[in-house]
Amino acid sequence: MRPDIPKPDSETNKGPMMAIIIIVVLFLLGYFVYMMFIPQQVEQMNQTDKVQPTEQTINDSI
């Protein structure tokens, strides 16, 4: 092909489109991983049944 003939749009737009698609896919993967792990951590922090009160030991040490 001669360099003075412009390329079709499908060839010129592949670079930016691929970068945008990759960024969106990485964002979605990160979001799904975040949504999978954060509720487990919140549940562990909200489980106060297994946590023993530490006020007595703190008062004793003072």
Side-chain angles (χ1 to χ4, degrees), residues 9-48:
D9 289 338
S10 62
E11 290 182 19
T12 55
N13 289 336
K14 275 187 180 176
M17 282 297 294
M18 286 300 293
I20 292 169
I21 290 171
I22 289 172
I23 290 171
V24 169
V25 168
L26 288 176
F27 175 77
L28 288 175
L29 284 174
Y31 181 73
F32 283 124
V33 169
Y34 173 81
M35 291 305 290
M36 288 295 290
F37 285 112
I38 292 301
Q40 294 177 359
Q41 293 179 358
V42 171
E43 286 178 6
Q44 287 176 1
M45 290 180 357
N46 287 339
Q47 287 176 354
T48 56

